[in-house]
Amino acid sequence: MTIHESAIVDPSAKIHDNAEICAYAVIGSNVEIDAGTVVESHAVIQGPTKIGKNNHIYSFASIGGDPQDITYEVGQDSNLVIGDENQIREFCTINRGTEKEESITRVGSNNLLMAYVHIAHDCQIGNHIIMSNNASLAGHVRIQDWAILGGFTLVKQFCMVGMHTYIGMGCQINKDIPSYMVASGVQTRVRSINAEGMRRRGFSPNAIAAIKRAFKVVYRSSGLLDQSLKKLEKTESDHKEVMQFVKCIRSSKIGIMRGPNEE
């Protein structure tokens, strides 16, 4: 274990022997840091926070701070759990959870959180996600695996972004984005499927074609949404990607963002 002599580490913190805490970093009470994780100079980590293996937390990141929620009171159950192999860049802020849900904010593994990213209380972040500079999540947001959020993306409370989605720069997300979609524009809408992202991640041409058909049924037909989903469940049941797309929509509690010609 390497802890710089200028770092401030609370006696209750549990730091693995193979972790590294650099100069002027501050590690508060009830913080656990596992093997291989590096905390750069001037980063601040407050607890209760549990951080997994081989993460790199860069300078001036603020991890595990109190929830920015007016109902939160000091002493309430409030936690942050971060997985393995994440890069958390300069000035990122990640807040702990509240008792409104499970009292936990979760960040999975293999994520890249670029500078000035904000993840608010009770968010649930999956794996292999890229959040570009200044992307910000309000409370209770869900981001599924392999999603990409462009710079300055803003996501409203309780929204969900499905797996393998691509969100363009400067988007304002105020409803759910189903899996495999591309959303963009100042007046943000779902524009198309994320065909290029799917190809890069090894999806077959048949799978991509099936998602394209599903997109047309949901976003280009004039029928009711439930009718469109029932049609896909009948005609595309052999394609697991389409069934994931349908499941994503059916699980939405606040509705999905619509296409460029829809309100």
Side-chain angles (χ1 to χ4, degrees), residues 63-151:
I63 309 299
D66 290 347
Q68 297 180 104
D69 186 308
I70 60 174
T71 66
Y72 171 76
E73 297 180 0
V74 175
Q76 290 182 354
D77 190 18
S78 177
N79 300 273
L80 170 64
V81 177
I82 296 176
D84 306 326
E85 306 280 350
N86 295 291
Q87 293 188 56
I88 302 175
R89 297 301 305 246
E90 297 84 357
F91 296 98
C92 282
T93 55
I94 308 176
N95 297 153
R96 303 191 315 275
T98 69
E99 292 182 343
K100 292 179 180 179
E101 290 197 26
E102 298 177 355
S103 302
I104 296 177
T105 301
R106 294 185 186 274
V107 176
S109 298
N110 300 105
N111 299 303
L112 171 56
L113 310 179
M114 297 187 190
Y116 293 94
V117 159
H118 175 65
I119 298 175
H121 61 88
D122 301 291
C123 287
Q124 307 293 314
I125 310 302
N127 307 309
H128 302 284
I129 290 162
I130 297 174
M131 294 181 63
S132 300
N133 295 339
N134 291 279
S136 296
L137 309 181
H140 310 277
V141 167
R142 307 290 187 267
I143 309 292
Q144 296 184 356
D145 297 352
W146 297 101
I148 297 176
L149 278 63

Side-chain angles (χ1 to χ4, degrees), residues 165-173 176-195 211-212 215-216 219-220 245 257-263:
T165 54
Y166 179 87
I167 311 298
M169 179 183 69
C171 286
Q172 298 180 38
I173 308 302
D176 293 348
I177 307 291
S179 299
Y180 309 107
M181 298 294 104
V182 170
S184 64
V186 176
Q187 298 296 324
T188 305
R189 295 287 187 270
V190 172
R191 308 287 175 175
S192 63
I193 72 166
N194 188 16
I211 287 293
K212 187 174 183 179
F215 170 79
K216 289 180 178 179
Y219 284 97
R220 295 291 182 265
F245 173 72
M257 294 201 78
R258 306 302 287 173
N261 299 318
E262 300 166 295
E263 295 296 332

